[in-house]
Amino acid sequence: MMIELPEADGSVVRHTMGEPRAYPPPPRPSTSRAAYAAAHVVADPAGDSLDWDATLAFRRHLWSYGLGVAEAMDTAQRGMGLDWAATRELIVRSSREALSAGGRIVCGTGTDQLPPGPASPKEIAAAYEEQLAVVESAGAVPVLMASRHLAAAAQGPDDYAFVYGRLLSQVGRPVVLHWLGPMFDPALRGYWGSPDLDAAADALLALIAEHAPRVDGVKISLLDADREIAFRRRLPPGVRLYTGDDFHYPELILGDAAGHSDALLGVFGPIAPAAAAALRALDAGDTASYQEIFAPTVPFARHLFESPTFFYKTGVVFLAWLTGHQRHFRMVGGLENARSVPHMARLFRLADAAGLFPDPGLAAHRMRAWLTVQGAAR
């Protein structure tokens, strides 16, 4: 089975489809690592809402592979098309589905219901509290997401300490904090009170130390493995480091003699079967199989998250369509057009090289159809 794919220089690659790598669902979630996949949403192509059946079906797919679902995070287009009304319904529906499926779920809480423009730290804290109440009442673990409003309003670390301290003093269960780097959202530059990442890390660690019993863990998404490891080694006992590094996840999850990272990753959605198989190997102490399974997914992940990184969601949904998890390639807010044709063609080749297409014939058929619509078919 061969398909011709365009390159950025105008040339064409004749790509022969490979064989899928079959990974059956594991009998149970990983016992050695906590692992969550940040899940995307499926748009309703006939309107402005979501296709709830397809959206929830993808979450059941993730749970079937023993992965937890990280709901209403930036992968679900928070701040890039999905408004708070839809997000609130997403949290409620997915949490109800998790209870039915016996799956683990964490949900993002933020301040995106506030109107654009200035907001005071008190107004920002109140917005967080509104969303926190929704997540807690749904029975999910809250993830206190980084806030664009807070990044714009804060004058320094004290403003972050005020807002997060107020939230952590009232949560009903330990929560996950979130440090999202500017490569994922340029509006978050200088988060935790300083553009200096060492100073920002010190401020976040001080906050965690003060409220450690109320912090399950912290998700770090800086795409800097050395910085993540250094941060991880300074955490109080019992506080997890959830890697959000979609470039270096195999070595960070594997860890070293001083510790390891758990996982809350956008790339785990597209590679869920492989991720589950790798974690099962790690549970058994088979690090060679762990590394062998993950190795071909890394080139795919690095291309998926290449700059501008915040458009990685386009590739995530593209792969969900090519693998048959949804019947169309449309996104909330028209974000399906955010990546170039050569970028998507290379993503297709890397996904196939990693054995991510359970039905290569379906993937090739849909890829040809998409190239035809784009005017790039040969």
Side-chain angles (χ1 to χ4, degrees):
M1 209 179 333
M2 190 274 294
I3 180 171
E4 294 186 335
L5 300 170
E7 292 278 88
D9 62 3
S11 63
V12 173
V13 172
R14 295 170 62 85
H15 175 76
T16 300
M17 299 297 293
E19 294 293 326
R21 302 189 69 174
Y23 298 114
R28 66 188 66 86
S30 172
T31 55
S32 62
R33 302 291 187 269
Y36 292 89
H40 72 285
V41 293
V42 183
D44 179 355
D48 296 328
S49 62
L50 299 184
D51 179 336
W52 289 109
D53 289 342
T55 294
L56 295 176
F58 190 76
R59 281 132 182 85
R60 291 193 295 272
H61 159 70
L62 297 175
W63 286 318
S64 76
Y65 278 92
L67 299 174
V69 167
E71 186 58 275
M73 305 289 289
D74 55 294
T75 302
Q77 293 185 244
R78 294 290 294 268
M80 295 187 76
L82 197 72
D83 62 19
W84 169 236
T87 299
R88 181 174 55 235
E89 186 172 1
L90 179 65
I91 289 168
V92 171
R93 287 189 184 225
S94 293
S95 298
R96 187 185 305 131
E97 199 75 17
L99 182 63
S100 174
R104 293 166 297 142
I105 189 168
V106 298
C107 294
T109 65
T111 63
D112 46 339
Q113 77 273 43
L114 290 173
S120 70
K122 287 185 178 180
E123 291 171 326
I124 292 166
Y128 266 122
E129 288 168 344
E130 178 188 356
Q131 296 199 13
L132 190 61
V134 172
V135 172
E136 290 192 320
S137 65
V141 175
V143 180
L144 301 185
M145 297 176 64
S147 163
R148 291 176 179 173
H149 290 92
L150 184 53
Q155 299 299 306
D158 288 348
D159 287 328
Y160 289 92
F162 165 77
V163 171
Y164 281 90
R166 175 167 155 176
L167 299 173
L168 291 169
S169 68
Q170 61 184 283
V171 294
R173 63 195 300 179
V175 304
V176 178
L177 303 179
H178 190 193
W179 187 2
L180 192 66
M183 68 288 295
F184 288 94
D185 188 344
L188 299 177
R189 190 174 305 278
Y191 213 75
W192 304 113
S194 175
D196 182 300
L197 294 181
D198 292 331
D202 289 343
L204 176 52
L205 285 162
L207 175 73
I208 293 170
E210 184 176 353
H211 302 278
R214 298 175 183 269
V215 179
D216 168 72
V218 54
K219 170 179 160 62
I220 304 289
S221 300
L222 298 176
L223 303 183
D224 186 329
D226 291 338
R227 187 172 294 280
E228 178 175 317
I229 292 169
F231 190 96
R232 185 175 74 201
R233 291 175 177 171
R234 296 174 64 190
L235 285 171
V239 177
R240 299 176 184 269
L241 192 298
Y242 290 99
T243 186
D245 188 330
D246 300 277
F247 285 0
H248 308 99
Y249 51 94
E251 57 262 43
L252 290 166
I253 295 169
L254 180 61
D256 54 32
H260 65 265
S261 295
D262 292 287
L264 199 166
L265 289 160
V267 75
F268 269 18
I271 70 166
L279 292 172
R280 187 180 183 189
L282 188 60
D283 289 347
D286 185 354
T287 56
S289 293
Y290 168 89
Q291 292 171 329
E292 186 272 332
I293 293 168
F294 264 146
T297 71
V298 173
F300 163 80
R302 292 186 176 181
H303 184 69
L304 178 68
F305 285 83
E306 77 172 11
S307 182
T309 301
F310 45 85
F311 287 141
Y312 76 89
K313 306 164 190 66
T314 302
V316 167
V317 178
F318 193 54
L319 262 291
W321 175 58
L322 292 174
T323 51
H325 287 291
Q326 55 195 76
R327 60 188 176 84
H328 64 84
F329 177 44
R330 293 290 303 277
M331 296 179 67
V332 177
L335 204 62
E336 67 272 11
N337 297 312
R339 291 291 203 186
S340 70
V341 170
H343 173 92
M344 302 296 259
R346 179 163 175 75
L347 190 69
F348 178 90
R349 290 169 56 199
L350 292 169
D352 189 45
L356 299 181
F357 295 134
D359 184 343
L362 173 67
H365 171 74
R366 289 188 168 183
M367 187 67 185
R368 289 192 189 97
W370 182 78
L371 289 171
T372 298
V373 171
Q374 301 299 316
R378 301 296 181 99

